[in-house]
Amino acid sequence: ELRELEEQYRPSDDKILKKKELLVETRRKHEDLEFQLMELETRCEAELEQAEEQFQHEQIVVAQNSKLRQNTLRDLDHQQNIILHQVIIEKEKLEREKQKLKLLFKQKKLEANELEQKLNGLSSIVNQEKKHHENSHQSSNDVWLNGNSVMYHSSPSNLYSTLNYPDNPSSAKTNIKDNHQAKLDEIKGMIAVAKLEKMSILEHQLRERYDELVQSHDEHAKRVELEQKLANEMHNRSHLIDRQVKLREKNRMQERPLTRYLPIRSVDFDLRAHIEGAGHLLDSSHIHVTSTSCRGFLLKMGGMKFKTWNRRWFVFDRKRRSLFYYQDKTESKLRGCIYFQSILEVYVDHLQSISLRSPEPREATFIVKTIERPYYLVAPTVESMRIWVDVIITGAEGN
């Protein structure tokens, strides 16, 4: 009967063992997915914060550039208003000078007309006197031809004076007329010179006004061009920021987690083959990996009291299921021990909670979180840091 009962319950035991193994495998897969999700969330949060900081910095730069351009445009507006005010003042001044010159020209023209009338009156008087003297001269000649006895008995001096007398008043009047004509010509020349000077002054002032208007137009065109450039730059900057954000989101979706391994408790587990299968090259002098151990120097931050960074020789030993750190490479003076059962998780310091205060290289900072406290470590290189994270995560049996 016992044999029969054993034979009856033997298949059920096998089924229970299979179900147990299936549950263990399912649990491992679930933990793997959960760890991947946690690491992905950490990476996403870090990248999102970095993108927000960069976006805020770019916004500040754009605001500063916009403020600078606005100040420049304000200065250009002020200069344009000043130039326009000066042009208006110069225009009014030119108008006043134009009116003055017109009045002066009218006065000179009236004076010239008066002089011309006087000269015409004098010339008419001179012509009348000339005709009168010609008539008197003609009568004297007739008397002389009729044989006046007085002329025959007159002396030569009297005869000369008689012949030359009618010409003396005529020459005096001619000299007066020439003087008036010379004055008139001089006044006409002065009027012509004044007209030329007026025209040259007006031409010079018009040329200056034209140059000022051209300069004002050029400044207005430059202002419009600067406004257009500012608008284009703002549009391009916003478009570039949107494109960068979309590109970061796309890269974030395409990237895989840094580590994708859960704790491995198998006895015949080959650590070196596992790390090489993860895509790491083990030709670095900073880290030495075997099938059961991993050794290398790391910088470790002190505990609760002293936050100094010390160089320690770390040994990851799967046989003794512990992570030891020594004073030096001789492994003679033990400084501390971390058991696999106390390791909760291992991750890179994406949030830069310690990286900002850690020594160089800051990008190689990672954290081993245990039940007691977190250990802040810095590897010699970023690649060796990734190897250490993948190595220690195989012994994180604290969950």
Side-chain angles (χ1 to χ4, degrees):
E1 289 177 356
L2 289 173
R3 288 178 181 176
E4 290 176 356
L5 290 172
E6 287 177 357
E7 290 176 358
Q8 289 178 0
Y9 286 105
R10 187 174 297 167
S12 62
D13 293 338
D14 294 337
K15 290 180 181 179
I16 291 170
L17 290 174
K18 289 181 180 180
K19 287 182 180 180
K20 189 177 180 180
E21 291 177 356
L22 183 61
L23 285 172
V24 171
E25 186 67 25
T26 305
R27 183 184 176 185
R28 288 179 180 176
K29 289 182 180 179
H30 177 71
E31 290 177 352
D32 189 6
L33 293 174
E34 191 176 19
F35 179 75
Q36 291 180 10
L37 179 62
M38 181 182 64
E39 198 169 36
L40 181 60
E41 288 178 352
T42 305
R43 182 186 295 274
C44 290
E45 290 176 357
E47 291 182 355
L48 182 61
E49 289 182 358
Q50 185 178 2
E52 288 178 352
E53 289 178 358
Q54 188 173 0
F55 180 70
Q56 290 177 357
H57 177 69
E58 291 176 352
Q59 278 186 336
I60 293 171
V61 173
V62 170
Q64 291 177 354
N65 291 333
S66 176
K67 188 175 180 180
L68 182 63
R69 298 293 174 83
Q70 288 177 358
N71 293 331
T72 304
L73 292 175
R74 194 179 298 110
D75 294 337
L76 289 174
D77 288 336
H78 182 65
Q79 292 177 4
Q80 185 179 6
N81 293 329
I82 292 173
I83 292 172
L84 290 175
H85 183 66
Q86 291 177 355
V87 168
I88 292 171
I89 293 173
E90 291 294 331
K91 182 180 177 181
E92 294 176 353
K93 185 177 179 180
L94 288 174
E95 290 292 336
R96 289 195 296 269
E97 290 181 358
K98 183 179 178 182
Q99 295 296 330
K100 290 179 181 179
L101 290 173
K102 282 183 178 180
L103 292 174
L104 181 63
F105 178 72
K106 287 181 180 179
Q107 291 176 0
K108 294 294 183 182
K109 190 174 181 181
L110 291 173
E111 291 177 0
N113 291 329
E114 291 177 357
L115 288 173
E116 190 174 358
Q117 290 176 1
K118 289 181 180 179
L119 287 174
N120 291 329
L122 289 173
S123 62
S124 62
I125 293 170
V126 169
N127 290 328
Q128 290 177 1
E129 290 180 355
K130 187 176 181 180
K131 289 179 181 179
H132 178 71
H133 286 294
E134 286 178 355
N135 292 329
S136 62
H137 181 66
Q138 184 70 29
S139 61
S140 62
N141 288 333
D142 292 339
V143 172
W144 182 72
L145 291 172
N146 289 327
N148 193 353
S149 59
V150 178
M151 290 295 295
Y152 287 107
H153 295 285
S154 62
S155 63
S157 61
N158 292 329
L159 182 60
Y160 180 78
S161 63
T162 303
L163 291 172
N164 291 330
Y165 177 73
D167 293 334
N168 290 330
S170 176
S171 61
K173 298 295 182 181
T174 304
N175 291 331
I176 293 171
K177 184 178 180 181
D178 292 339
N179 291 330
H180 284 291
Q181 187 68 31
K183 289 182 179 179
L184 182 61
D185 294 338
E186 184 179 358
I187 291 170
K188 288 182 179 179
M190 291 173 64
I191 292 171
V193 171
K195 285 183 179 180
L196 290 175
E197 290 180 354
K198 176 186 174 183
M199 293 300 293
S200 63
I201 291 170
L202 288 173
E203 185 179 359
H204 179 68
Q205 291 176 350
L206 288 173
R207 190 179 295 109
E208 288 182 351
R209 182 185 174 189
Y210 176 75
D211 294 338
E212 290 176 354
L213 290 174
V214 169
Q215 186 178 2
S216 175
H217 178 72
D218 294 339
E219 290 180 354
H220 179 70
K222 288 180 180 179
R223 177 191 172 190
V224 172
E225 185 179 358
L226 286 174
E227 290 178 351
Q228 187 67 28
K229 285 183 179 180
L230 180 61
N232 293 332
E233 186 176 352
M234 293 290 290
H235 178 71
N236 293 333
R237 182 61 63 86
S238 62
H239 179 70
L240 181 62
I241 291 171
D242 294 338
R243 186 177 178 183
Q244 288 179 353
V245 171
K246 290 179 180 179
L247 184 61
R248 290 194 195 102
E249 291 178 354
K250 183 178 178 181
N251 293 334
R252 187 186 305 157
M253 295 299 294
Q254 291 178 352
E255 286 180 354
R256 68 173 183 87
L258 181 64
T259 58
R260 53 195 179 99
Y261 306 104
L262 286 176
I264 300 173
R265 297 176 175 85
S266 177
V267 179
D268 56 351
F269 174 70
D270 191 346
L271 180 61
R272 185 180 180 86
H274 174 76
I275 297 301
E276 289 177 345
H280 297 293
L281 298 176
L282 300 178
D283 55 353
S284 175
S285 60
H286 300 292
I287 190 169
H288 305 281
V289 183
T290 63
S291 60
T292 58
S293 66
C294 178
R295 287 174 168 81
F297 279 108
L298 294 174
L299 292 175
K300 185 183 77 68
M301 192 175 76
M304 300 298 293
K305 294 182 179 180
F306 304 103
K307 301 295 182 181
T308 57
W309 292 88
N310 300 309
R311 191 166 182 258
R312 297 286 183 256
W313 177 261
F314 277 77
V315 177
F316 179 85
D317 194 345
R318 289 191 60 82
K319 291 182 178 179
R320 293 185 287 179
R321 309 189 70 78
S322 300
L323 176 63
F324 304 98
Y325 52 95
Y326 297 89
Q327 181 72 29
D328 51 24
K329 194 174 180 180
T330 58
E331 300 181 10
S332 58
K333 188 176 182 180
L334 181 65
R335 303 297 297 181
C337 175
I338 305 172
Y339 297 104
F340 286 1
Q341 290 83 1
S342 64
I343 299 175
L344 298 176
E345 54 183 345
V346 185
Y347 54 91
V348 181
D349 188 18
H350 289 299
L351 300 178
Q352 296 183 352
S353 58
I354 299 299
S355 298
L356 297 177
R357 301 190 300 271
S358 62
E360 296 293 339
R362 295 178 179 176
E363 299 82 5
T365 304
F366 65 102
I367 301 171
V368 178
K369 187 176 180 181
T370 64
I371 298 172
E372 294 84 8
R373 68 180 182 90
Y375 288 82
Y376 300 102
L377 307 173
V378 179
T381 62
V382 176
E383 179 61 29
S384 61
M385 178 266 294
R386 292 173 180 168
I387 296 174
W388 271 110
V389 171
D390 283 346
V391 166
I392 299 173
I393 201 66
T394 61
E397 300 177 359
N399 291 326

